[in-house]
Amino acid sequence: MTAYRLDFSPVCQLTDEQFYQLCRKNPDIKFERNAQGEIIIMPPTGGETGKRNAKLISRFVVWNEQNQLGEVFDSSTCFKLPNWADRSPDVSWIKQERWDALTPGEKEKFPPIAPDFVLELMSPSDRLSETQEKMQEYIEQGVKLGWLINRKNRQVEIYRPGQDVEVLDSPTTLSGEDVLPNFVLERADCLGLTARIPLRCC
């Protein structure tokens, strides 16, 4: 299955509230919206991708509970980026002080904030060029670190502000660097298996 784009601009331009209500009224459909206002209907993932994504996000949740530095979000969370695009990364994380600066209403709907970290896990239906464009968009809109995991090619692309994309072939580990302190993801977890998370001493 492929993603479909709908351009309503000849008829109307959906407001943020209308887009939010569209998503709420159709909970079984995953929508995104690009900076041009096109509605993107995202296909559901297959079993293998869903399984791997669930294992990946569990690693971030455990790390975050140990370190208490921010908030982790799954792929059902839609963020309003500064360029007005509405995006839903597979995994995302926001520093606690930035999240706490939002109002209760902003947290409840589509938070108007770019995450500090995003991860996209390629599924068989994803187009690499489109996902790479999305990763570049994240960085341009304020994301500090982004990982694009391409299981098919056994590659990980690392995105950082002001730097060229770093492409790793079958990396042994991935470091959260200074964005996700002490977070280490082993290569096996890039393929949906295991990870190493440093434990905190009492």
Side-chain angles (χ1 to χ4, degrees):
M1 299 177 66
T2 58
Y4 293 95
R5 298 187 181 213
L6 303 176
D7 185 1
F8 292 114
S9 60
V11 179
C12 67
Q13 190 73 33
L14 293 181
T15 66
D16 289 346
E17 180 62 26
Q18 289 171 330
F19 179 68
Y20 175 74
Q21 293 300 330
L22 174 68
C23 296
R24 288 202 61 188
K25 294 293 184 180
N26 299 275
D28 296 330
I29 302 175
K30 182 179 178 180
F31 294 102
E32 285 190 339
R33 183 167 55 167
N34 63 25
Q36 291 71 47
E38 295 175 322
I39 305 299
I40 304 169
I41 301 176
M42 309 295 292
T45 62
E48 284 298 322
T49 300
K51 178 184 73 175
R52 289 183 170 95
N53 198 59
K55 289 184 177 181
L56 276 170
I57 197 168
S58 71
R59 307 308 191 250
F60 288 90
V61 170
V62 171
W63 166 82
N64 195 60
E65 289 180 346
Q66 292 177 341
N67 291 271
Q68 297 291 310
L69 296 175
E71 301 291 345
V72 179
F73 303 87
D74 67 11
S75 61
S76 63
T77 308
C78 191
F79 296 97
K80 167 67 69 177
L81 301 181
N83 66 348
W84 299 102
D86 295 279
R87 297 296 191 182
S88 300
D90 288 328
V91 182
S92 53
W93 181 84
I94 298 176
K95 288 183 179 180
Q96 195 64 56
E97 57 266 31
R98 296 185 66 231
W99 178 250
D100 290 343
L102 299 177
T103 68
E106 289 172 331
K107 294 177 181 179
E108 185 65 30
K109 293 187 176 182
F110 296 160
I113 189 173
D116 292 282
F117 168 84
V118 299
L119 181 153
E120 292 284 359
L121 177 64
M122 290 282 294
S123 67
S125 63
D126 290 334
R127 294 182 181 177
L128 179 58
S129 60
E130 292 182 354
T131 309
Q132 289 171 328
E133 289 178 4
K134 187 186 295 187
M135 296 299 297
Q136 290 286 2
E137 179 184 54
Y138 288 140
I139 296 300
E140 291 170 0
Q141 297 306 306
V143 171
K144 302 297 187 297
L145 178 66
W147 294 348
L148 171 55
I149 298 178
N150 189 334
R151 296 188 294 109
K152 182 178 179 180
N153 295 338
R154 301 179 68 85
Q155 289 184 332
V156 178
E157 297 182 10
I158 302 179
Y159 292 74
R160 306 178 183 92
Q163 300 183 35
D164 292 335
V165 177
E166 182 179 4
V167 181
L168 304 177
D169 292 306
S170 299
T172 303
T173 60
L174 292 175
S175 168
E177 304 175 9
D178 58 348
V179 179
L180 306 173
N182 301 320
F183 184 85
V184 178
L185 193 66
E186 293 195 0
R187 185 188 69 176
D189 216 6
C190 297
L191 305 176
L193 300 177
T194 59
R196 180 182 71 230
I197 303 174
L199 298 178
R200 298 172 67 188
C201 296
C202 299

